[in-house]
C-alpha cells in the first residue's frame, strides 16, 4: 500500500491524449487539462502537495496555468480535490462541483461521512462558484462537458462526458467516477450515508449506458492505462480507443461492488 500511495505524489511527464486533452497528473493520480482558445479546463488535481508538479506539467506542454477558467473534480476527496484551492487562487478560475458535493468541498472534507473525523483526509476548503445538477453542461470555447451524477463513492461523485475532435474525427470521451467501495465504507449495515447502496446501483446503470471511444480514469492504476499509454506512443490517438476495455473494467467493478 505504501508503494501505491507513493505514486500519488510522484511527478510524471505530461502528454497529449486526444485533440486538446492532455494528461498533467502524477504517476498515480490523474489530472486532465483541456485547452481552448477561450482558456482551459482542469479536471481533478491530486493531493495538496502535487500542485507544483501539476503546474510544471502544464508549463511543459506550453500552456499557462493562469489561463485556467474552470476547475472541475470527479469527487470531493483529498486525492482529487486537494489542489483545487491552489489553482483557483493562481488562475482566478471558477471552481465547479456537483450540488451534492458542494458542502463537502466547502468543508475541505470535514463533513465526509467516512473520513470526516480523520484530519489526514482534510484538504484546503473551496467554495464553488458554479454548482451543477445531473446532466448540466459546462461550455468553454468549443468544448462542452456534461456532468453526470455518479454517487456512492461520495454523495456528489461526477462522471464527465465530452466530445473531442482530432484530425477530422470525433471521439466520445468519458471520465468515469466512481465505482470503488473504499475501506471503512459501510453499505448494508449502518450505511455510511442513507441511500448509499441505491446511489451505487444508479451509478452502475449510468456508466453501463455510456459508450465511450476513450475512457480516462481518475487513478492510473486502473487496469489497461499503462498499456494504452504504451500503445499511444506507437499508434497515437488510436492507442487510447478502448470501448471493450471499458466494458471489462465496469463489469469487474460491478462484481466487486
Amino acid at each position: 500500500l505504501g508503494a501505491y500511495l507513493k505514486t500519488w505524489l510522484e511527478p510524471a511527464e505530461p502528454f497529449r491524449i486526444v485533440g486538446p486533452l492532455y494528461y498533467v497528473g502524477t504517476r498515480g493520480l490523474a489530472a486532465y487539462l483541456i485547452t481552448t482558445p477561450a482558456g482551459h479546463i482542469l479536471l481533478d488535481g491530486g493531493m495538496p502537495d502535487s500542485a507544483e508538479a501539476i503546474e510544471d506539467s502544464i508549463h511543459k506542454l506550453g500552456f499557462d496555468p493562469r489561463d485556467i477558467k474552470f476547475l472541475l473534480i470527479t469527487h470531493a476527496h483529498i486525492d482529487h480535490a486537494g489542489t483545487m484551492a491552489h489553482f483557483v487562487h493562481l488562475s482566478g478560475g471558477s471552481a465547479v462541483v456537483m450540488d451534492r458535493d458542494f458542502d463537502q468541498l466547502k468543508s475541505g472534507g470535514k463533513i465526509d461521512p467516512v473520513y470526516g473525523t480523520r484530519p489526514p483526509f482534510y484538504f484546503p476548503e473551496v467554495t464553488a462558484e458554479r454548482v451543477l445538477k445531473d446532466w448540466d453542461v459546462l461550455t468553454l470555447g468549443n468544448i462542452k462537458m456534461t456532468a453526470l451524477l455518479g454517487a456512492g463513492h461520495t454523495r456528489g461523485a461526477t462522471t464527465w462526458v465530452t466530445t473531442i475532435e482530432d484530425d477530422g474525427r470525433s471521439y466520445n470521451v468519458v471520465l468515469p467516477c466512481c465505482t470503488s467501495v473504499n475501506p471503512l465504507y459501510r453499505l448494508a449495515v449502518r450505511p455510511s450515508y442513507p441511500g448509499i447502496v441505491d446511489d451505487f446501483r444508479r451509478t452502475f446503470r449510468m456508466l453501463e449506458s455510456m459508450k465511450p471511444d476513450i475512457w480516462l480514469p481518475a487513478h492510473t492504476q486502473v487496469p489497461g492505462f499503462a498499456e494504452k499509454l504504451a500503445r499511444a506512443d506507437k499508434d497515437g490517438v488510436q492507442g487510447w480507443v478502448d470501448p471493450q476495455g471499458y466494458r471489462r473494467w465496469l463489469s469487474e467493478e460491478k462484481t466487486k461492488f
Side-chain angles (χ1 to χ4, degrees):
L1 183 60
Y4 174 78
L5 295 179
K6 183 181 177 183
T7 68
W8 288 12
L9 294 172
E10 193 174 330
E13 284 298 310
F15 53 86
R16 188 176 79 92
I17 297 172
V18 57
L21 193 160
Y22 299 84
Y23 186 91
V24 294
T26 61
R27 195 160 74 85
L29 289 174
Y32 299 100
L33 183 75
I34 304 175
T35 64
T36 85
H40 313 317
I41 298 168
L42 182 63
L43 172 55
D44 276 352
M47 299 290 283
D49 289 344
S50 298
E52 185 176 332
I54 294 172
E55 273 193 63
D56 288 345
S57 290
I58 294 171
H59 282 298
K60 280 183 180 179
L61 292 168
F63 303 107
D64 190 336
R66 291 173 296 184
D67 292 333
I68 294 170
K69 301 301 181 187
F70 292 116
L71 289 302
L72 316 181
I73 53 171
T74 50
H75 61 288
H77 277 164
I78 186 173
D79 51 336
H80 304 281
T83 63
M84 196 178 203
H86 172 88
F87 283 103
V88 167
H89 177 74
L90 176 70
S91 68
S94 298
V96 181
V97 71
M98 186 68 73
D99 54 358
R100 289 178 57 178
D101 259 2
F102 175 84
D103 288 336
Q104 186 159 311
L105 183 66
K106 185 177 181 179
S107 77
K110 294 180 181 67
I111 65 165
D112 186 286
V114 179
Y115 303 121
T117 59
R118 295 173 168 82
F121 290 89
Y122 298 167
F123 53 90
E125 301 168 5
V126 179
T127 300
E129 286 189 32
R130 183 161 177 182
V131 182
L132 305 179
K133 296 187 182 301
D134 193 17
W135 284 97
D136 277 355
V137 176
L138 180 81
T139 301
L140 181 65
N142 56 348
I143 294 292
K144 291 184 178 181
M145 303 281 291
T146 301
L148 302 178
L149 180 64
H153 192 75
T154 66
R155 289 184 176 96
T158 306
T159 287
W160 292 93
V161 180
T162 189
T163 299
I164 299 288
E165 305 287 334
D166 189 293
D167 196 24
R169 178 176 169 183
S170 295
Y171 295 88
N172 183 29
V173 179
V174 174
L175 300 105
C177 183
C178 296
T179 57
S180 58
V181 181
N182 282 7
L184 305 179
Y185 278 43
R186 300 186 64 90
L187 297 180
V189 179
R190 289 187 287 114
S192 294
Y193 70 83
I196 187 172
V197 169
D198 289 339
D199 276 351
F200 267 114
R201 286 175 173 153
R202 279 193 295 269
T203 291
F204 279 110
R205 288 196 296 271
M206 177 272 291
L207 291 172
E208 287 169 341
S209 75
M210 299 289 105
K211 292 180 170 58
D213 299 307
I214 295 171
W215 61 286
L216 301 171
H219 288 258
T220 63
Q221 283 85 359
V222 166
F225 188 89
E227 290 78 7
K228 282 183 279 192
L229 178 57
R231 285 202 306 269
D233 283 341
K234 178 167 61 76
D235 300 330
V237 173
Q238 291 305 309
W240 290 102
V241 175
D242 184 31
Q244 294 82 13
Y246 178 78
R247 294 290 159 201
R248 279 195 306 274
W249 165 76
L250 192 51
S251 175
E252 290 166 2
E253 290 297 293
K254 190 174 183 181
T255 299
K256 290 177 188 176
F257 167 73

